[in-house]
Amino acid sequence: MKHVFIIGSKGIPARYGGFETFVEQLTARKTNRDIRYHVACLSDRKGEFEHNGARCFQVAVPAIGSARAVLYDLLSLKECIRYIRRHRLTDCKVYILACRIGPFFYPYKRKLEHMGVTVLVNPDGHEWKRGKWNALIKRYWKVSERLMVKHADLLVCDSRGIEQYIHEDYAKYRPRTTFIAYGADLASSTMDDQSPELLGWLEKHRVTPGAYYLIIGRFVPENNYELMIKEFMKSDTDKDLVIITGIEQNPLYDELLRECRFDSDPRIKFTGTVYEQQLLKKIRELAYGYCHGHEVGGTNPSLLEALASTKLNLLYDVVFNREVGEDGALYFSAEPGSMAAKISELERYDDRMIKELEAKAKGRISAEYTWNHIVKSYEHLFHSFEVLHRKSSRVRSLPEYTGEKLKQSR
């Protein structure tokens, strides 16, 4: 039996979040009976339970602000080591999601190395670029990323752009990497068009099916809400801009309101959050178009979900979004008037053009981003990738992997 310990997500069952959804899908769609998953779950108490056939272990972490995530990962790692030793497990891997614990990572890595445990790390995106962090925290994130890249046995990148960045910025460490994307589901929403829940949401927010553009994502500066709202207000469309995000006690919202005065434009509608996944998918399906302003990170889950569900997609032109959307979307830049012009272009699309772009978008998901493909790729990786530890040296056996060779900087 191969034991895979996953830490860094908030845990499963997933309610929201990219890493949480990934772990939910990975465990729910498991086909390899020789793999046993152990999933860390953030909690206020200790305990264990089974979900999707995975052993879920709860890690109690005090509420200490932004440092809680760092402590959570460290306590999870400590618990993995304790459990492996106590049960004398062999053939184990630890998969760490995100690079939060770099300054504290090496002592744990050495313990795992001496136990014969392979450590894989998902570097996620450019956390050190996010606008919510001050200069000191941004520096911590960058140092943390560097140290985890340096000491990981393998980096699993969900974006080719991130993989290229790892090799360019950290070439001196000769990092081992492989690419496995994030996933999405092409199935239509199970919610009926006449569902009371859907009709209630549409009525509450005065939204008409097919007559709105949609934005879904965290309300943070690097998602370019200011740019998109300003550009939408410049456009002459008679459709609404529906924004599904949490704005409670968010100073960016008040700042943006003062800057843009979007309260004077009845087309701009902040509707709060939607956690019911089938309702959210239905809202995507009924939109005229989806607007995606994310510029930090790798393969973004909300982008994949939009390409899988929404007919027309308008994306901020950065390498991560181009990599995913290719010719299945239109792109706008930060240049004034760019997005407004693209909206005008989309407004002129006839049914044939809409169906053509929709087919290309869904084709991108079908070709590279279905959950079944992603889960199969991970199972192959967990089953095949091995690291042989000999005292202080590490000798790696690297199989060629499902069309994506494991890479090492030269």
Side-chain angles (χ1 to χ4, degrees):
M1 180 68 68
K2 296 181 181 295
H3 296 270
V4 179
F5 294 78
I6 302 176
I7 72 174
S9 78
K10 292 182 176 66
I12 51 177
R15 291 184 58 195
Y16 52 84
F19 279 142
E20 291 71 36
T21 301
F22 158 69
V23 179
E24 180 78 35
Q25 294 291 336
L26 181 69
T27 54
R29 296 174 185 260
K30 188 184 81 165
T31 61
N32 191 323
R33 295 182 180 180
D34 194 37
I35 295 176
R36 169 70 162 164
Y37 289 115
H38 307 257
V39 181
C41 300
L42 181 64
S43 180
D44 56 3
R45 59 185 173 84
K46 291 184 178 181
E48 286 189 14
F49 61 92
E50 290 273 327
H51 179 71
N52 291 340
R55 170 183 162 264
C56 301
F57 60 98
Q58 295 172 302
V59 180
V61 187
I64 54 173
S66 58
R68 189 186 193 203
V70 175
L71 182 57
Y72 170 49
D73 285 0
L74 292 173
L75 292 175
S76 299
L77 203 50
K78 185 176 181 180
E79 173 58 24
C80 290
I81 293 171
R82 185 198 67 80
Y83 188 89
I84 292 169
R85 283 177 171 167
R86 180 179 179 183
H87 294 273
R88 299 180 180 178
L89 300 181
T90 59
D91 207 350
C92 298
K93 294 177 175 65
V94 172
Y95 187 24
I96 304 173
L97 305 174
C99 295
R100 287 183 282 261
I101 57 173
F104 317 98
F105 182 44
Y106 186 63
Y108 292 92
K109 176 61 173 63
R110 287 289 290 167
K111 288 180 182 179
L112 291 165
E113 186 174 307
H114 285 299
M115 294 163 62
V117 178
T118 301
V119 180
L120 298 82
V121 173
N122 186 313
D124 197 16
H126 295 317
E127 187 68 31
W128 48 273
K129 283 187 176 181
R130 298 194 186 279
K132 65 179 179 178
W133 303 124
N134 61 38
L136 184 62
I137 296 178
K138 285 182 178 180
R139 178 169 174 75
Y140 171 86
W141 277 111
K142 183 63 174 172
V143 170
S144 186
E145 178 185 84
R146 176 176 63 81
L147 292 172
M148 294 199 74
V149 168
K150 179 180 180 180
H151 296 300
D153 292 317
L154 179 71
L155 295 146
V156 185
C157 305
D158 64 19
S159 161
R160 291 186 179 91
I162 289 293
E163 186 177 30
Q164 181 180 353
Y165 154 76
I166 292 292
H167 283 284
E168 289 176 352
D169 275 40
Y170 302 111
K172 65 181 179 180
Y173 299 132
R174 295 171 56 83
R176 302 279 186 176
T177 67
T178 191
F179 164 75
I180 307 179
Y182 192 82
D185 186 0
L186 278 167
S188 299
S189 172
T190 58
M191 185 169 287
D192 186 83
D193 287 353
Q194 299 305 311
S195 164
E197 189 174 5
L198 171 66
L199 294 177
W201 185 89
L202 293 171
E203 182 179 358
K204 177 182 178 181
H205 300 292
R206 302 186 304 281
V207 173
T208 303
Y212 62 92
Y213 290 85
L214 180 65
I215 300 174
I216 302 174
R218 290 184 302 167
F219 200 70
V220 291
E222 61 269 17
N223 288 352
N224 284 299
Y225 279 95
E226 180 177 353
L227 171 65
M228 291 189 290
I229 290 172
K230 284 182 175 179
E231 288 293 310
F232 191 88
M233 292 175 70
K234 289 179 185 176
S235 74
D236 56 4
T237 180
D238 59 357
K239 297 179 176 62
D240 292 329
L241 178 62
V242 173
I243 304 172
I244 296 180
T245 189
I247 57 173
E248 295 81 5
Q249 298 179 333
N250 190 323
L252 177 62
Y253 177 83
D254 296 325
E255 179 184 327
L256 208 56
L257 180 59
R258 290 192 298 270
E259 176 71 22
C260 301
R261 301 306 308 173
F262 53 77
D263 56 340
S264 65
D265 189 331
R267 299 174 300 172
I268 310 296
K269 296 180 177 179
F270 283 85
T271 64
T273 52
V274 175
Y275 290 123
E276 209 294 297
Q277 292 303 303
Q278 293 305 315
L279 173 59
L280 195 58
K281 182 176 285 191
K282 196 68 178 179
I283 292 168
R284 288 192 184 96
E285 292 172 357
L286 295 177
Y288 181 77
Y290 184 84
C291 303
H292 186 76
H294 293 50
E295 66 171 312
V296 172
T299 303
N300 185 266
S302 64
L303 172 55
L304 295 179
E305 289 155 358
L307 292 170
S309 301
T310 310
K311 297 179 178 66
L312 300 175
N313 289 276
L314 184 55
L315 318 180
Y316 189 61
D317 196 357
V318 292
V319 62
F320 309 115
N321 296 337
R322 281 271 184 185
E323 173 188 316
V324 176
E326 290 190 352
D327 63 350
L330 271 66
Y331 299 86
F332 64 94
S333 70
E335 182 180 349
S338 173
M339 181 178 169
K342 292 297 181 181
I343 290 173
S344 296
E345 181 178 340
L346 287 177
E347 295 285 295
R348 297 192 295 270
Y349 272 30
D350 58 25
D351 287 344
R352 180 190 61 81
M353 297 169 72
I354 292 173
K355 288 179 180 178
E356 184 177 306
L357 200 61
E358 179 185 13
K360 289 180 178 179
K362 286 181 168 57
R364 290 293 300 134
I365 301 300
S366 179
E368 292 195 43
Y369 299 101
T370 63
W371 277 119
N372 285 340
H373 172 70
I374 302 308
V375 170
K376 182 179 178 181
S377 298
Y378 266 104
E379 289 187 354
H380 180 90
L381 177 65
F382 292 146
H383 194 271
S384 303
F385 180 74
E386 299 294 344
V387 176
L388 305 178
H389 298 289
R390 296 179 183 172
K391 295 183 180 180
S392 60
S393 65
R394 289 174 290 172
V395 180
R396 295 176 174 85
S397 172
L398 295 173
E400 186 167 312
Y401 162 68
T402 59
E404 292 291 336
K405 292 183 180 180
L406 292 164
K407 298 179 182 178
Q408 180 177 13
S409 291
R410 300 186 181 279

